[in-house]
Amino acid sequence: MGALLTTQQFSGDVTSGLALAFLGFAFAMLLTPIYTHIAYNWRLWKKQRESATTGEKAKVFQKLHGEKHIPTMAGIVTIIAVAAATFLFNLSRSQTWLPLAAMFGAGMVGFVDDIINLRGVGQGIAGLNAKLKLLLITLVAAAGGWYFYFKLGYNMIYLPFFGEWHLGVWLIPLFIIVIISTSNAVNISDGLDGLAGGLLTIAFGVYAVIAFMQHNLGIAGFCATLVGALLAYLWFNIYPARFMMGDVGSFALGTALGVVAMLTNTVALLPIIGIIFVAEAGSSLIQIVSKKAFHRKVFISAPVHHHLEAMGWPETKVTMRFWVLGQVAAVVGLIIALTGGYVK
């Protein structure tokens, strides 16, 4: 009888998670026509950058994507869909308040950045000043880190095969670093049709599985909801994209991914599961350092997906091969989670 009840409970938990994924997909699909009508009527075209981060003309990028004019800010649909499903069916102080609030806070920073971009304010790269944007994301991360430590009571991280590492209040700076890194890495990766959306779907999918196996059902449901909403986004964002998520989406979803990693105590697995995000952000950093220190480029164009395009790879080939690598990395991360002590 006990085994039967256990099986019934397992079935019920799986059904709940799948239902939340379906709701995320359904809500996003219902909202997308509204967004699309507004975006195309108001001509919410993202202004492509004219200059690189280091100041010179972005000639290679302009050649590759300078003529791409599609609406931005579609990430609003994902945020609203996930928020609605979570508020209605999966609201939990200990598991979903923080990722939901952090996602919304970072999304607001991205929203302001997108609005400024649409108005054409800025020099070369239209949008918020980079230092101000970093400051605002840091403030969102700091607020989340404070709640994570003082209200939820987390005080350590877990290292696979080694065990717990108690950090105490130093967990807050780590939380801030993780959120800043993840939000910016996703933002940098959002440069090809379907790329960031597909990689995020993979990452949140594997985190849904990890959280479920940890019996963190609220977090698992939140991740499942994001997977559903992102699948709806991908329906329209795969090549040729009808719209893009914009900074409102990339900052919000990157932040949510970092928070989920912290809540599941799997932050050590995040660079593995999100290996493509690491490669994208790393290639941009290497390019900037090399140009400033040695006055030469390592990549034809950074991040690395533009380098591969400049080498002659079609946009779809880059995207799908990065999806494959992301899936392999996610499986590796899941294996480590199962064998490294993350799942009891």
Side-chain angles (χ1 to χ4, degrees):
M1 186 65 176
L4 178 60
L5 290 174
T6 301
T7 302
Q8 289 176 340
Q9 182 62 52
F10 176 82
S11 177
D13 293 340
V14 171
T15 301
S16 296
L18 293 175
L20 284 168
F22 174 76
L23 283 175
F25 178 82
F27 285 171
M29 276 295 192
L30 289 172
L31 289 168
T32 296
I34 300 173
Y35 157 80
T36 305
H37 176 77
I38 294 172
Y40 276 87
N41 277 273
W42 291 6
R43 300 185 63 80
L44 303 181
W45 311 142
K46 179 180 176 65
K47 292 178 174 59
Q48 301 292 355
R49 60 189 175 98
E50 299 176 359
S51 301
T53 306
T54 47
E56 74 277 10
K57 291 291 184 181
K59 295 179 180 178
V60 177
F61 174 82
Q62 281 292 314
K63 183 178 179 181
L64 293 171
H65 293 281
E67 298 302 317
K68 182 181 287 187
H69 296 292
I70 56 175
T72 186
M73 298 176 67
I76 291 176
V77 172
T78 304
I79 294 172
I80 294 174
V82 172
T86 303
F87 270 113
L88 290 172
F89 303 106
N90 191 32
L91 198 58
S92 165
R93 179 185 179 277
S94 63
Q95 298 198 18
T96 59
W97 278 18
L98 180 56
L100 191 63
M103 180 178 72
F104 183 79
M108 287 301 297
V109 176
F111 178 81
V112 173
D113 193 31
D114 283 332
I115 291 297
I116 293 175
N117 175 280
L118 292 172
R119 294 181 63 184
V121 179
Q123 297 180 350
I125 303 175
L128 273 174
N129 175 274
K131 292 181 180 178
L132 177 58
K133 187 160 45 178
L134 176 61
L135 173 62
L136 293 174
I137 290 293
T138 301
L139 291 175
V140 171
W146 176 87
Y147 189 88
F148 184 70
Y149 178 73
F150 286 104
K151 294 299 182 180
L152 297 183
Y154 287 81
N155 57 26
M156 60 87 180
I157 61 171
Y158 187 89
L159 301 177
F161 310 110
F162 288 96
E164 296 177 352
W165 184 19
H166 288 267
L167 294 178
V169 73
W170 289 102
L171 195 62
I172 297 177
L174 176 64
F175 188 99
I176 294 171
I177 291 170
V178 169
I179 299 309
I180 291 174
S181 301
T182 311
S183 61
N184 279 283
V186 173
N187 180 254
I188 290 169
S189 302
D190 186 31
L192 299 181
D193 294 356
L195 180 58
L199 294 172
L200 284 167
T201 303
I202 294 165
F204 280 117
V206 76
Y207 268 113
V209 174
I210 291 172
F212 181 83
M213 292 189 299
Q214 292 177 335
H215 307 291
N216 291 320
L217 300 182
I219 301 172
F222 180 79
C223 291
T225 309
L226 274 163
V227 169
L230 281 165
L231 286 174
Y233 167 75
L234 274 174
W235 181 265
F236 300 99
N237 184 244
I238 56 175
Y239 185 89
R242 192 172 183 182
F243 44 64
M244 59 197 306
M245 68 173 65
D247 287 355
V248 62
S250 59
F251 278 126
L253 298 175
T255 295
L257 182 61
V259 172
V260 165
M262 294 298 293
L263 284 171
T264 54
N265 209 357
T266 57
V267 68
L269 297 182
L270 183 57
I272 299 173
I273 295 171
I275 188 65
I276 300 300
F277 294 132
V278 175
E280 292 278 77
S283 63
S284 291
L285 179 60
I286 290 170
Q287 186 86 321
I288 292 170
V289 172
S290 180
K291 286 197 291 187
K292 288 188 174 182
F294 306 107
H295 306 291
R296 58 182 300 176
K297 297 195 296 184
V298 175
F299 302 97
I300 301 173
S301 180
V304 67
H305 62 250
H306 289 321
H307 173 79
L308 294 173
E309 278 190 292
M311 289 178 60
W313 287 31
E315 181 174 350
T316 51
K317 184 175 183 177
V318 178
T319 297
M320 288 187 282
R321 285 195 170 173
F322 277 19
W323 283 356
V324 171
L325 292 174
Q327 289 169 338
V328 173
V331 170
V332 172
L334 184 57
I335 291 171
I336 297 174
L338 291 170
T339 59
Y342 287 104
V343 179
K344 307 294 184 182

